[in-house]
């Protein structure tokens, strides 16, 4: 299993819209953090879909070490 790249040691605040799908980058290589831009090609990672059920503000993990994918769980504090 490849290790994910730490894109940033802080979460990304995103205003999601009800009914829309968001593809969270798991590999950490995307230039469009916290979302996938296809840079995982050739790695063992796949993006994770998050479908928003309502309009809200969420904090997506960018260190890629969260245990609460795709959201920040504070794991970046221990990196
Ligand atoms: S670019 Fe990271 S999962 Fe697609």
């Amino acid at each position: 299993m490849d290790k994910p790249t730490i894109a940033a040691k802080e979460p990304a605040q995103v205003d999601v819209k009800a009914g829309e799908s968001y593809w969270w980058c798991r590999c950490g290589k995307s230039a469009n953090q916290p979302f996938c831009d296809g840079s995982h090609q050739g790695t063992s990672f796949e993006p994770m879909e998050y479908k928003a059920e309502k309009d809200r503000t969420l904090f997506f993990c960018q260190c890629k070490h969260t245990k609460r994918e795709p959201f920040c769980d504070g794991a970046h504090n221990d990196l």
Side-chain angles (χ1 to χ4, degrees):
M1 181 77 178
D2 295 334
K3 278 209 168 118
T5 299
I6 298 169
K9 290 187 178 177
E10 60 182 11
Q13 181 176 338
V14 179
D15 296 327
V16 299
K17 294 250 177 294
E20 292 206 1
S21 279
Y22 298 83
W23 290 90
W24 178 66
C25 167
R26 268 196 178 118
C27 74
K29 294 183 190 300
S30 172
N32 184 36
Q33 292 296 331
F35 302 121
C36 177
D37 72 352
S39 297
H40 62 271
Q41 294 278 350
T43 73
S44 60
F45 294 98
E46 294 281 341
M48 174 185 189
E49 181 178 18
Y50 171 73
K51 192 157 189 207
E53 287 169 6
K54 58 180 181 179
D55 291 2
R56 60 196 297 205
T57 299
L58 294 171
F59 291 85
F60 286 85
C61 171
Q62 297 194 103
C63 77
K64 314 303 177 186
H65 285 69
T66 183
K67 297 221 171 5
R68 214 168 61 86
E69 295 181 342
F71 306 114
C72 176
D73 72 349
H76 59 271
N77 290 313
D78 297 325
L79 297 174

